[in-house]
Amino acid sequence: MVRQESWPDGWDALGLSPKDAFEELDNGLLQAVQEAAAAAGALYVLAPDRQTLYLHAQIGLPAGAVPHRSRLVRPSPMPVTDAVRDGCAVELGSWEELATRYPRMALTAPQYCAAAAIPLMGDETARGAILLFWGPEDHERLAAGQRDRLEAAGRRLGRIVEKAADADATLTARPRPRNLQRSPLHAPTRDENLAAAALAERLPDGFVCLDRDDRITFLNQKAAKFLDSSVSELLGATLWAAMPWLRTAHLEDEVRVATTSRKPTALLVRRPPDVLLRIHLYPDAGGTTMRVELCDELLSARSSPPGPVEMSPRTGRMHQMLYLATALAEARGVRDIADQVCCQIAPVFEADSVAFFLAEGERLRLIGSTALDPDMFEDSDSTALSSTGFSSRLITHVLLSVQPQFISSPEEARRIAPGFISSSGSNAWAVLPLLASGAVIGSCVLGYEHPRTFPGDERAALVSLAGLVARALDRARLYDLEHTLARTLQQSLLPHTLPHVAELDLAARYLPATRGMDAGGDFYDVLLLDDGTVGAVIGDVQGHNVAAAVLMGQVRTAVHATAGPRPSEVLARTNKVITDLDPGLFVSCVYAQIDLHKQLLSVASAGHPPPILQTLPGNAEVLDVPPGLLLGIDAAADYPAVTVPFPPGSVLGFYTDGLVEEPGVDIAESIAALAGCIAAAEYSDVDDLADVVVQLASPQTDDIALLLMRSKGWPMS
């Protein structure tokens, strides 16, 4: 447990200690697994950035077996991220459904046939989620009562996380996820423990017990002898720290796969220099029992020293590589690629630090890192790849050679790049140029705290991985280029300022969707038709790409060209123009004409969410405007208009569906809630009201355009 004084002061304001909060979350996970009769479970907490989910605790999953699950970046398609985004449970009743909807997760969890994610709900939004797994022999769909109890538990835990966030106290600072243990059905007595230990000593084989953290909790004398150590040295240590030669024998991956699938496994390993051992693995939900045999008969049967033992494939790493490859395939922009690489590659290859660079022209820019080595990458943003003045920088030297380098020690690094000095703790590196179309487009650098060698299979895996990352990065750069172009085009086609109208206060907002979405076609405009008449339009082009942004500009131009007559005629003529262009996209739109002298408002709609009108303080209504066909479908479509009073002090609100659409909520309810917000809002001017209104869209999943118009009259509320 982290010491109390290392936590933020917000815990005092919360009235809750980290220990108490952790115990509440841990107990909630244990109870959820028990309630659902699940084989395994995990609890994730949403970080303050609202983009990252951290693994807080797990049960029934071996430590380190799925390191990529310890940090999930939204909007990665996973049951947990979807449950947090939508605020409702995600249940997957079969392995086929799991593989179809979430292939990345299915690649690394083939032993589970079903899963469910329960959100931790705060007052308004999800603050994390519980993830449950069932095996093929123990899954039944959650009954209604079970689901209700799990969701109630999720709400209770969500409020704890929310209170901590409100007090500026984080629940994500735990240095590593906690592996929880189910309470044993029978707690052995002291005499029973002594009898079991005596039994293990009488048997001819060695026995080692591992907990879910791969830590040795018991071993007999024969096991210590076979493993060339002593009971006191091994007891309490992790298997891999006490016996690093087991990693060379690929045992770590075998243990991880066996414990995850809970299937007994047997394999041969060689203890240096030439002792052959047969190890049997017997895993269950509480840990793993290892039975160790000395294969003297195999050695004595050979007339010559045994050759290399045939080792099984590194199945665990293969699953992790497949997971990373799937994540790269799903990532969109360069930032997504950097997040996935920095998050996933370190645990797969046991690196202590990772740095990810992007080549921009003749420069190299750091775009992502974990545990960054400052000596190696300082001022990398200004490093010219073609410059000879940076030969002491190892990364520049390697990139200029366009060959991957596996550097086992600082001495070897200095032979490659004379003058290189590292004093930050890294003493071995894998430097991987990322090549596409014969050019360096980036680099990935793995740092290791201790000097080490890089076996041939590991080098091959890293080089192959660099190829996957390079192709994903090349694709992501093109995506970002199109994304930036579309955003720039869209922004340039929106009005830079609203016109000045003496009798009308105007305010507008345009909010692009959260990171990871393409550009949209939301637009708005205000037109001065004559001294006392104003036209206003808002619309949304189908799609999120450059074509949508271009069509948005064409619609605005058509509205400008046809403005002046009644709104029904403006939409009919604009529809004819768009239909003749045949862009293959459709447009929703509302056009209004305000006669300030006659105090009348006339509105027509082409399938767009209806405007909201407030004519009296504290009272706002949704205008009942007939929703005509979307623009671009039928050139002969009609767009009936309605005319209503627009007295001084009236407020008219136009908006696009990004403001009111919410998964699982009827859009009519959301529009009514928006009208209620406008009616109840306290503001000094329409700019303040616009700020209040856009707060409704949290979290935001689509572009938002908002246009507010107020006829000057009675004072603001």
Side-chain angles (χ1 to χ4, degrees):
M1 182 64 66
V2 180
R3 293 180 301 170
Q4 173 75 33
E5 58 267 24
S6 67
W7 291 86
D9 294 336
W11 287 103
D12 297 331
L14 181 62
L16 189 69
S17 71
K19 181 179 180 181
D20 292 338
F22 283 170
E23 287 181 354
E24 287 286 332
L25 296 180
D26 292 349
N27 290 335
L29 175 59
L30 287 166
Q31 292 169 9
V33 171
Q34 181 179 1
E35 170 68 36
L43 188 145
Y44 288 85
V45 173
L46 188 63
D49 65 4
R50 298 294 185 92
Q51 292 297 319
T52 309
L53 285 157
Y54 286 96
L55 180 60
H56 174 84
Q58 60 184 15
I59 181 171
L61 296 169
V66 279
H68 44 261
R69 290 190 189 137
S70 63
R71 176 176 174 263
L72 300 177
V73 180
R74 299 172 69 193
S76 299
M78 297 285 282
V80 169
T81 55
D82 285 356
V84 171
R85 180 197 65 201
D86 298 339
C88 58
V90 175
E91 187 174 356
L92 306 161
S94 66
W95 189 88
E96 289 75 12
E97 187 178 0
L98 175 66
T100 300
R101 293 181 59 183
Y102 304 100
R104 193 197 321 176
M105 183 170 152
L107 283 171
T108 53
Q111 71 283 2
Y112 299 117
C113 80
I118 311 297
L120 309 183
M121 293 301 300
D123 289 339
E124 296 181 356
T125 60
R127 298 294 185 143
I130 292 175
L131 180 62
L132 302 173
F133 292 101
W134 291 269
E137 72 286 347
D138 57 8
H139 175 63
E140 295 181 0
R141 277 197 175 271
L142 293 173
Q146 283 180 308
R147 189 179 298 106
D148 291 343
R149 288 189 291 273
L150 289 172
E151 290 178 348
R155 289 190 293 272
R156 179 172 58 82
L157 299 179
R159 285 192 289 271
I160 293 175
V161 179
E162 186 169 66
K163 287 180 180 178
D166 291 343
D168 195 26
T170 178
L171 287 173
T172 61
R174 174 175 282 177
R176 60 194 298 266
R178 184 178 178 189
N179 283 285
L180 306 180
Q181 302 290 334
R182 289 183 174 90
S183 299
L185 297 177
H186 168 68
T189 65
R190 180 176 181 276
D191 290 342
E192 288 172 330
N193 284 329
L194 292 174
L199 174 64
E201 292 296 346
R202 295 188 195 106
L203 295 174
D205 298 328
F207 289 91
V208 180
C209 291
L210 306 175
D211 65 12
R212 300 302 294 182
D213 289 319
D214 298 334
R215 195 171 300 279
I216 300 172
T217 59
F218 172 83
L219 74 161
N220 61 4
Q221 294 288 345
K222 292 184 181 66
K225 179 180 178 181
F226 294 160
L227 298 175
D228 194 26
S229 189
S230 66
V231 172
S232 61
E233 290 176 332
L234 297 177
L235 195 62
T238 62
L239 197 63
W240 324 115
M243 292 163 284
W245 51 269
L246 288 176
R247 282 185 170 176
T248 307
H250 301 249
L251 181 62
E252 184 177 12
D253 285 331
E254 294 292 346
V255 171
R256 287 177 173 175
V257 172
T259 53
T260 303
S261 62
R262 300 184 189 174
K263 294 180 179 179
T265 302
L267 62 154
L268 292 176
V269 298
R270 187 184 303 281
R271 192 200 78 201
D274 58 0
V275 177
L276 197 63
L277 301 175
R278 185 186 301 277
I279 295 181
H280 302 261
L281 306 174
Y282 301 97
D284 67 8
T288 301
T289 296
M290 298 175 55
R291 179 162 66 91
V292 186
E293 299 176 278
L294 183 63
C295 299
D296 287 327
E297 68 280 4
L298 294 180
L299 292 176
S300 60
R302 297 175 183 266
S303 58
S304 60
V309 178
E310 186 69 23
M311 295 299 173
S312 59
R314 296 183 63 83
T315 313
R317 174 167 289 170
M318 180 185 70
H319 279 302
Q320 294 168 354
M321 289 282 287
L322 285 172
Y323 182 94
L324 179 55
T326 309
L328 291 174
E330 293 172 347
R332 290 189 174 184
V334 170
R335 176 54 58 188
D336 292 330
I337 298 292
D339 286 343
Q340 292 296 341
V341 169
C342 293
C343 177
Q344 310 296 346
I345 197 173
V348 174
F349 291 97
E350 301 163 358
D352 297 300
S353 65
V354 177
F356 190 71
F357 296 87
L358 179 67
E360 296 179 341
E362 293 297 318
R363 302 283 173 179
L364 197 64
R365 181 167 64 89
L366 177 68
I367 59 172
S369 66
T370 61
L372 186 63
D373 181 343
D375 291 325
M376 195 168 186
F377 311 123
E378 185 180 4
D379 297 330
S380 60
D381 281 2
S382 61
T383 298
L385 293 178
S386 60
S387 172
T388 59
F390 292 88
S391 61
S392 62
R393 283 205 169 84
L394 184 61
I395 183 173
T396 306
H397 185 94
V398 171
L399 289 182
L400 289 173
S401 71
V402 199
Q403 294 294 327
Q405 291 284 351
F406 301 94
I407 303 159
S408 300
S409 66
E411 291 76 19
E412 184 177 351
R414 284 189 285 274
R415 287 196 296 271
I416 296 172
F420 171 73
I421 299 175
S422 176
S423 60
S424 65
S426 293
N427 289 287
W429 302 268
V431 186
L432 308 171
L434 305 177
L435 304 176
S437 303
V440 175
I441 63 170
S443 176
C444 183
V445 184
L446 283 67
Y448 297 84
E449 182 179 355
H450 302 290
R452 72 191 302 273
T453 60
F454 294 86
D457 64 334
E458 188 172 67
R459 294 187 180 208
L462 282 167
V463 172
S464 298
L465 177 64
L468 290 174
V469 174
R471 284 189 285 274
L473 180 60
D474 198 33
R475 171 179 52 81
R477 291 199 307 172
L478 293 176
Y479 169 84
D480 282 348
L481 180 62
E482 179 179 352
H483 179 77
T484 302
L485 174 62
R487 283 281 183 227
T488 303
L489 177 61
Q490 183 179 32
Q491 294 283 7
S492 67
L493 292 174
L494 290 172
H496 298 290
T497 59
L498 295 175
H500 174 70
V501 183
E503 299 86 356
L504 206 60
D505 290 327
L506 304 173
R509 296 288 186 272
Y510 170 73
L511 283 74
T514 52
R515 185 173 63 88
M517 298 289 288
D518 292 317
D522 293 22
F523 65 94
Y524 61 86
D525 206 352
V526 177
L527 302 80
L528 294 178
L529 302 179
D530 57 42
D531 185 44
T533 309
V534 175
V537 63
I538 195 164
D540 187 358
V541 179
Q542 173 194 20
H544 290 83
N545 48 36
V546 173
V550 170
L551 182 56
M552 177 258 286
Q554 293 171 329
V555 174
R556 281 191 64 221
T557 301
V559 169
H560 273 265
T562 58
R566 293 175 300 173
S568 56
E569 296 179 28
V570 173
L571 286 188
R573 294 177 183 179
T574 302
N575 175 57
K576 180 66 167 60
V577 172
I578 300 305
T579 306
D580 290 344
L581 290 173
D582 191 20
L585 300 173
F586 306 123
V587 185
S588 71
C589 184
V590 168
Y591 179 80
Q593 192 166 291
I594 303 173
D595 190 324
L596 296 169
H597 296 324
K598 296 181 180 180
Q599 300 178 10
L600 293 175
L601 167 68
S602 184
V603 184
S605 173
H608 196 81
I612 292 173
L613 178 63
Q614 180 183 26
T615 55
L616 293 173
N619 182 29
E621 62 176 330
V622 179
L623 286 181
D624 186 12
V625 183
L629 281 177
L630 297 174
L631 304 180
I633 295 178
D634 180 4
D638 292 327
Y639 299 94
V642 296
T643 301
V644 296
F646 193 68
S650 298
V651 177
L652 178 65
F654 282 178
Y655 54 94
T656 55
D657 56 10
L659 183 63
V660 292
E661 280 191 339
E662 184 178 350
V665 179
D666 185 87
I667 192 168
E669 296 179 7
S670 297
I671 294 174
L674 174 60
C677 172
I678 292 176
E682 296 182 0
Y683 52 91
S684 59
D685 54 37
V686 286
D687 267 319
D688 286 343
L689 177 59
D691 291 335
V692 171
V693 169
V694 296
Q695 294 302 317
L696 289 178
S698 181
Q700 182 188 342
T701 58
D702 198 0
D703 288 4
I704 293 173
L706 173 69
L707 179 61
L708 297 176
M709 294 156 280
R710 178 184 177 275
S711 177
K712 295 179 180 179
W714 37 262
M716 296 288 180
S717 59

